[in-house]
Amino acid sequence: GDSVTQTEGLVTLTEGLPVMLNCTYQSTYSPFLFWYVQHLNEAPKLLLKSFTDNKRPEHQGFHATLHKSSSSFHLQKSSAQLSDSALYYCALSHTEGADRLTFGKGTQLIIQP
Amino acid sequence: EAAVTQSPRNKVAVTGGKVTLSCNQTNNHNNMYWYRQDTGHGLRLIHYSYGAGSTEKGDIPDGYKASRPSQENFSLILELATPSQTSVYFCASGGTISNERLFFGHGTKLSVL
């Protein structure tokens, strides 16, 4: 079956430093990959998703590149902001529309001043 | 922005009791989903539906039933609640290429004592 692995449960960084959250996956199909973000006491919401044409998705300064050879979709940002503190989920689906998402365990990102 | 409303926001139940969690969406989405969120497990799919009258088992359906009486409403039912079902439950709608994402409700925090 499908699975998503996020190796870091907690990442603590100082404001202004680069962010990289790891995500690898296993799937019998060629899946679509997503990053969802959940701020404290809020609902999870889509941050970005992989494209079928291998373009690099970007949103709010975050970007991720789908590497099919290494089954990875790491999330990156060049300079962390305090407002980036949140829970980040990597997820995969067999459809571009995100049907029946399989989520990783999540990475809690804490940005300190 | 698509709106998904869950009720109640908080629920305390007794072991062996029946619990019904409700979800309403006014976006005319065909697909709806129930996930539970637990630290160390992330978000896991319990049941989903592709339209009124249909329900499907997700990855962890044991101990749960679902009901989709209309396009707008999707309920999760715990016939005999157990302490292991203490969790935060999220409803979501969307999941098709026209929606391109899942829209989550704000969650129901359930405690089974």
Side-chain angles (χ1 to χ4, degrees), chain A residues 30-58:
Chain A
S30 183
F32 295 89
L33 272 295
F34 304 79
W35 278 99
Y36 275 75
V37 59
Q38 183 181 17
H39 288 92
L40 189 63
N41 296 324
E42 293 187 6
K45 59 184 180 182
L46 180 68
L47 181 59
L48 47 80
K49 59 182 280 190
S50 61
F51 288 111
T52 54
D53 58 1
N54 294 321
K55 289 181 182 176
R56 188 180 80 169
E58 296 191 29

Side-chain angles (χ1 to χ4, degrees), chain B residues 2-77:
Chain B
V4 178
T5 304
Q6 293 183 232
S7 61
R9 293 293 300 271
N10 291 280
K11 173 75 177 178
V12 179
V14 296
T15 298
K18 182 177 181 178
V19 177
T20 300
L21 307 183
S22 300
C23 178
N24 175 272
Q25 56 99 358
T26 56
N27 310 295
N28 201 33
H29 291 163
N30 289 329
N31 299 1
M32 296 187 74
Y33 309 83
W34 276 107
Y35 285 87
R36 65 177 283 175
Q37 181 181 44
D38 303 283
T39 302
H41 291 279
L43 289 156
R44 294 179 289 174
L45 181 63
I46 306 170
H47 284 287
Y48 59 98
S49 168
Y50 288 148
S54 92
T55 61
E56 305 288 343
K57 294 180 179 180
D59 298 322
I60 53 163
D62 292 347
Y64 303 93
K65 291 172 57 177
S67 174
R68 183 86 182 271
S70 64
Q71 181 81 337
E72 297 80 18
N73 296 296
F74 189 38
S75 298
L76 186 68
I77 303 153

